Amino acid sequence: MRALVGLAALVVICAALREAQTLIVPVVFAIFVMALAWPLQRRLERVLPKIAAVLATLVVALGVVGAVTSLVVWGLGHVGQWVFANAARFQTLYGQLGIWLEGHGFVLASVMADHFDVRWMLRLFQDISGRLHSLASFLVFTFLYFLLGMLEVDALKSQLLKLRARGRGAYLVAAGAAAAEKLQKYMVVRTFMSLATGFAVWAFTLFSGLELALAWGAIAFALNYIPFIGPFVATLLPTVFALAQFESWEMAAFVFVSLNVIQFLSGSYIEPRIAGKTLAVSPFLVLFSVFFFAFLWGLPGAFIGVPVLIVTLTFCAGHPRSKPVAALLSGKPAEAG
């Protein structure tokens, strides 16, 4: 009975989180940015008044987020222009695909090819770019919460220290500090690997002769912040465009395989070794968190899913009762003895 009640409560909570995403997601992102920006503010407070340090930190955070967002919009904009200028190539390619499918028993392929309009691809890129532009209102609320939250961090910390003095706040103080440190390391590693991946994709597409090499590198850099989904999209899009540009299935397969090798080396080999054991999380949980929060909150949820997972496991690891759960979900083998 307790299990059924707990499951029902979990379903209700998830439904509430999804319905209230307009209110909750900016708060979650604001807390996430606060955890990342806190060290910068502390350093600035040594030479500036507190309000000036908070405002300077806000400007830096806005600049970073705006730069990454603009990079994605710029890359997708150039790709959309290329689609519009080369619409005939995609139309021909789709027609050839329809003939091939019909020759292998797909009788409706020719009908689908006759009704195919490449302009839907252009509308897709325009819709994505439009959604990115609509992030402006989301960012306004996020950074408003961020500004107010940063002004209240010291007050909250003093209250937690007061609880710690009574023996009740030590867990929250230690777990919060550990979670913030892990989030900072996670974003440093993710940024470094995103830069490396973007550079590798740019270099490969440039030397392979694929057009829009710089745009593909920029898109790969930005999408690499979203585990699994981002690298998949950053691999699939250049493959489709290679097929349209070179009109060769062999070249498209070469591009697809090469980009997947780059993504594999980046995400599955190099990054875990850089991150070390402190960020060890079960790959199954990482995949689940990305798709689960994408289901709840869309694209912002896909980005924030892994940080939420890291914070949750950190708080579990800091409490004696939930520490075995964190160890079980870490993906690390048990230590001998």
Side-chain angles (χ1 to χ4, degrees):
M1 180 62 68
R2 288 184 178 180
L4 290 177
V5 171
L7 181 61
L10 180 62
V11 171
V12 171
I13 292 173
C14 290
L17 289 174
R18 188 174 185 182
E19 289 298 321
Q21 60 178 301
T22 305
L23 175 65
I24 296 176
V25 176
V27 176
V28 174
F29 266 84
I31 296 173
F32 174 64
V33 178
M34 287 169 61
L36 300 179
W38 178 247
L40 174 61
Q41 180 182 332
R42 298 304 295 175
R43 290 187 179 92
L44 291 176
E45 285 185 356
R46 298 172 185 172
V47 295
L48 296 173
K50 180 177 180 178
I51 184 63
V54 171
L55 291 176
T57 306
L58 175 65
V59 171
V60 172
L62 279 172
V64 172
V65 174
V68 175
T69 304
S70 300
L71 200 61
V72 178
V73 173
W74 176 84
L76 291 177
H78 277 68
V79 172
Q81 292 174 6
W82 196 92
V83 171
F84 182 78
N86 296 272
R89 294 188 184 185
F90 288 95
Q91 193 74 46
T92 302
L93 178 64
Y94 195 83
Q96 294 173 350
L97 178 61
I99 295 173
W100 184 87
L101 290 174
E102 191 174 40
H104 287 76
F106 296 89
V107 295
L108 296 178
S110 61
V111 177
M112 295 172 61
D114 292 338
H115 292 83
F116 174 75
D117 188 352
V118 75
R119 287 179 294 181
W120 73 266
M121 294 184 65
L122 181 60
R123 288 196 295 269
L124 175 63
F125 283 104
Q126 291 174 338
D127 180 64
I128 294 174
S129 298
R131 289 179 181 272
L132 291 172
H133 283 296
S134 68
L135 283 176
S137 59
F138 170 78
L139 292 177
V140 168
F141 285 105
T142 297
F143 283 99
L144 179 60
Y145 287 126
F146 169 80
L147 177 61
L148 297 177
M150 293 297 274
L151 291 173
E152 297 180 6
V153 168
D154 289 332
L156 176 61
K157 186 176 180 180
S158 65
Q159 292 295 331
L160 291 176
L161 290 174
K162 186 177 180 181
L163 288 175
R164 185 173 64 177
R166 299 176 183 174
R168 292 180 292 180
Y171 162 67
L172 293 176
V173 173
E181 183 178 352
K182 287 187 177 182
L183 288 179
Q184 293 159 14
K185 183 173 183 178
Y186 169 78
M187 286 305 296
V188 168
V189 172
R190 179 62 65 174
T191 299
F192 174 79
M193 294 311 305
S194 295
L195 287 170
T197 302
F199 178 80
V201 169
W202 166 78
F204 168 75
T205 52
L206 179 66
F207 287 105
S208 65
L210 189 64
E211 296 183 38
L212 306 177
L214 191 58
W216 296 127
I219 292 173
F221 160 74
L223 292 183
N224 198 63
Y225 282 100
I226 305 176
F228 295 105
I229 298 177
F232 174 75
V233 174
T235 298
L236 184 62
L237 283 179
T239 301
V240 175
F241 279 76
L243 185 59
Q245 178 183 333
F246 298 109
E247 299 180 357
S248 168
W249 292 96
E250 293 80 4
M251 187 62 187
F254 172 71
V255 170
F256 179 77
V257 171
S258 299
L259 291 179
N260 272 283
V261 169
I262 293 174
Q263 296 289 355
F264 173 79
L265 292 175
S266 171
S268 301
Y269 184 77
I270 301 176
E271 183 173 338
R273 283 156 178 77
I274 296 177
K277 295 182 179 180
T278 56
L279 295 180
V281 181
S282 167
F284 174 83
L285 273 185
V286 172
L287 180 62
F288 176 79
S289 66
V290 170
F291 283 98
F292 176 73
F293 282 96
F295 168 75
L296 286 182
W297 298 333
L299 184 60
F303 172 81
I304 203 67
V306 176
V308 171
L309 175 63
I310 291 174
V311 171
T312 302
L313 292 181
T314 302
F315 272 82
C316 287
H319 198 281
R321 292 185 179 180
S322 56
K323 191 173 183 178
V325 177
L328 180 65
L329 301 178
S330 66
K332 297 184 293 184
E335 297 181 1

